[in-house]
């Protein structure tokens, strides 16, 4: 199989998006719409679970929301005024229906469905302990450990069991849980992964991004606070904070790449922040050039900011076709090269003879940047300068983001001049970590903990990484760790 999306394949991928709604006449249909808006967060599989007051109903499928949840018979099979949904992107592990969320189980207290954005960094240790106590796992997902922890908790009420479970997990999580007692939404004490709340008439909605609220016509109420649990029941909304307060560390890459530019994250417009990052990049790494060209689509806002700050004209030098997905042909080298051009093509008449500045959001393995630079040279560019709207990605993420092992990250192996030699550009520069914080209106001082999780750039992980540090793990356990299929 040939993937004709060379620019997206070498990106960091957010592994999932979640959506939940309480007290809506067409809850499952609204959830499907919300998941459409979150499709960029996970494009491999999708699922919806609804509750009609007596029974739970679930439909999960591989592929996009469109084609799986736009059929009347599917929505009719998900009745009820309450629903939660999930879009998923797996990493290197098993791609199987059993790992598609929401995960559901019948507990002593009744049905329990959970949709999870994040990654439990001690899931393997917990899983081993639970299996020894008799738990039988049905998936390879770290999310399933939460269900087993709730099921085996000695506390009496479901809410207390849920809190007890969360006290035992490490890492990052935003959760939406559907139970007969109500809809539960929560965020880990550091707030690494995002979660917001909205309102549509009498309906209460939770989602990974505000854009999902926009799509269903809901009003944004607020972000769920780090460490907060919100419980929605008939006629009542409660908020509790059962965990010790911590300095929040939301993921900084939500602003750089993950979130849609029309979303609001941590009170800031993602589009505005990305333009500000581009402007900061122009200040830190100017270049004498004729055109500023974005790598579509994620590089566009930063390129606009760079162009405005530098005074160099902004142009669309790479044209993307939005009508090509995957092509199922056996690729030889020549066919593969032609397949790449189906998705992105250089605007040759614009580029020929010009000194250009290419703006992209990140460099991961470097294979994408190498292809783009070569594409510009083949189109006749006189000079090709690469500018990146984030610092070098030197460390893997263990909080729900698909990143290669560190040995495969280009910035972990080479310094910036070495990276420039690898991609064959005339020059290469990244925005500094201090510049990134400045674009976000903050300051990253060494004397205090940073306001974001920036571990992919700095290696400063805000939580313990029990499973990663377990050097005694067996081959099978390490294989399971590599899957991280959430």
């Amino acid at each position: 199989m040939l993937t004709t999306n060379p620019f997206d394949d070498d990106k960091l991928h957010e592994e999932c998006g979640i959506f939940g709604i309480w007290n809506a006449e067409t809850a499952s249909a609204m959830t499907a719409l919300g998941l459409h808006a979150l499709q960029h967060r996970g494009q491999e599989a999708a699922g919806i679970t609804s509750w009609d007051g007596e029974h739970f109903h679930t439909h999960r499928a591989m592929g996009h929301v469109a084609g799986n949840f736009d059929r009347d018979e599917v929505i009719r099979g998900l009745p009820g005024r309450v629903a939660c949904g999930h879009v998923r992107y797996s990493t290197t592990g098993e791609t199987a229906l059993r790992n598609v969320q929401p995960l559901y189980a019948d507990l002593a207290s009744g049905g329990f469905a959970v949709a999870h954005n994040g990654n439990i960094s001690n899931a393997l240790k917990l899983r081993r302990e639970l299996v020894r106590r008799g738990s039988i796992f049905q998936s390879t997902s770290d999310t399933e450990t939460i269900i087993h922890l709730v099921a085996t908790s000695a506390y009496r009420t479901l809410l207390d069991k849920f809190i007890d479970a969360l006290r035992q997990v490490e890492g990052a999580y935003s959760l939406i849980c559907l139970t007969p007692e109500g809809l539960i939404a929560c965020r880990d004490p550091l707030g690494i992964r995002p979660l917001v709340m909205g309102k549509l008439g009498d309906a209460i909605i939770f989602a990974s991004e505000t854009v999902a609220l926009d799509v269903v016509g809901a009003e944004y109420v607020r972000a769920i606070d780090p460490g907060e649990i919100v419980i929605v029941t008939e006629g009542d909304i409660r908020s509790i904070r059962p965990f010790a307060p911590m300095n929040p560390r939301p993921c900084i890459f939500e602003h750089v790449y993950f979130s849609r530019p029309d979303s609001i994250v941590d009170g800031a417009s993602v589009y505005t922040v990305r333009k500000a990052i581009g402007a900061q990049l122009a200040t830190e790494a100017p270049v004498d050039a004729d055109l500023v060209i974005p790598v579509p689509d994620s590089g566009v806002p930063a390129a606009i900011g760079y162009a405005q700050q530098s005074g160099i004209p902004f142009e669309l030098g790479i044209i993307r076709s939005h009508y090509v997905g995957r092509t199922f042909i056996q690729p030889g080298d020549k066919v593969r090269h032609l397949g790449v051009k189906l998705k992105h093509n250089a605007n040759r008449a614009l580029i020929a003879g010009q000194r250009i500045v290419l703006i992209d959001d990140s460099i991961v393995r470097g294979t994408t940047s190498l292809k783009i630079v070569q594409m510009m040279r083949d189109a006749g560019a006189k000079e090709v300068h690469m500018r990146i709207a984030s610092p070098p990605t030197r460390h893997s993420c263990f909080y729900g983001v698909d990143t290669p092992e560190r040995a495969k990250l280009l910035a972990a192996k080479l310094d910036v001049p070495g990276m420039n030699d690898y991609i064959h550009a005339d020059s290469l520069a990244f925005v500094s970590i201090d510049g990134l914080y400045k674009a976000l209106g903050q300051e990253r001082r060494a004397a205090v903990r940073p306001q974001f999780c920036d571990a992919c750039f700095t290696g400063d992980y805000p939580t313990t990484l029990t499973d990663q540090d377990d050097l005694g793990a067996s081959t099978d356990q390490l294989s399971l760790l590599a899957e991280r299929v959430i």
Side-chain angles (χ1 to χ4, degrees), residues 16 32 50 78 83 90-92 95 112 122 127 143 148 176 190 205 223 231 253 278 283 332 386 399 410 421 471:
C16 48
S50 70
L78 296 166
S90 74
T91 57
T92 58
T95 298
F112 186 89
N122 64 336
R127 185 184 182 109
T143 307
H148 287 277
I176 297 175
L190 290 172
I205 301 173
I231 308 101
F253 225 90
T283 300
M386 197 86 181
Y399 300 121
L410 191 66
D421 290 343
L471 300 180

Side-chain angles (χ1 to χ4, degrees), residues 389-413:
S390 66
T393 303
R394 295 192 171 99
H395 304 271
S396 298
C397 176
F398 302 105
Y399 300 121
V401 176
D402 173 29
T403 45
E405 59 190 60
R406 192 172 183 224
K408 295 181 180 179
L409 294 171
L410 191 66
K413 299 182 290 186

Side-chain angles (χ1 to χ4, degrees), residues 10 363 365-371 373 410 413-425 428:
D10 194 28
I363 291 181
R365 296 176 183 87
T367 53
T368 292
S369 301
L370 180 63
K371 292 175 184 176
V373 171
L410 191 66
K413 299 182 290 186
L414 301 171
D415 58 13
V416 174
M419 295 174 73
N420 185 54
D421 290 343
Y422 177 83
I423 67 173
H424 303 311
L428 171 67

Side-chain angles (χ1 to χ4, degrees), residues 1-2 327-333 335-336:
M1 182 176 67
L2 169 63
T327 178
F328 296 89
I329 55 179
Q330 295 299 319
D333 289 340
V335 176
R336 181 182 297 277

Side-chain angles (χ1 to χ4, degrees), residues 288-302:
D288 189 13
D290 303 308
L291 299 174
V292 173
I293 293 175
V295 177
D297 288 320
S298 57
V300 172

